[in-house]
Amino acid sequence: MLNAAELAVLCDAEVQGLAGRPIAAVAPLNLARPCDLAWIGDPAQFDDAASSHAGALIVPRGVKTGHASATLLVSGDPVAALKLVIATLERQPITVGSFPGRGVVDASAQ
């Protein structure tokens, strides 16, 4: 599992918020969990982020981020950043253990 700062370096983005936030996967805004990274391609969608449970968001530069509770990865090219993040997270080894608020994964699970 990588954190927001590590992913920001990878995709040339600026981190706003908790840089050490762990990111386990990428998910759509409406399905994201606190350990997930979601994305916003259109600045008009930013208000939808307030109702999301996503721990982090990739957003385009120039979006007004005054009331965001999630960690933000502000990118000049959110689509390219998203592709890099997905490819990187797919190469990460599966982590056995607990996730905040999500229970425990048994070590024998496949």
Side-chain angles (χ1 to χ4, degrees):
M1 188 175 327
L2 297 173
N3 66 39
E6 293 167 327
L7 293 174
V9 168
L10 171 79
C11 60
D12 192 28
E14 173 192 343
V15 178
Q16 293 181 4
L18 182 61
R21 182 180 299 274
I23 304 297
V26 174
L29 191 60
N30 61 333
L31 300 176
R33 304 165 297 162
C35 60
D36 289 339
L37 175 74
W39 66 95
I40 297 174
D42 179 0
Q45 290 179 310
F46 191 74
D47 288 337
D48 296 339
S51 62
S52 173
H53 296 289
L57 299 167
I58 295 177
V59 298
R61 290 197 204 294
V63 70
K64 296 187 191 284
T65 60
H67 61 281
S69 60
T71 298
L72 302 179
L73 275 63
V74 182
S75 172
D77 187 349
V79 174
L82 181 62
K83 287 179 185 179
L84 286 168
V85 168
I86 290 170
T88 301
L89 289 176
E90 284 179 346
R91 291 191 305 264
Q92 293 295 304
I94 296 173
T95 302
V96 176
S98 64
F99 295 93
R102 297 289 180 197
V104 175
V105 176
D106 188 89
S108 66
Q110 295 183 2

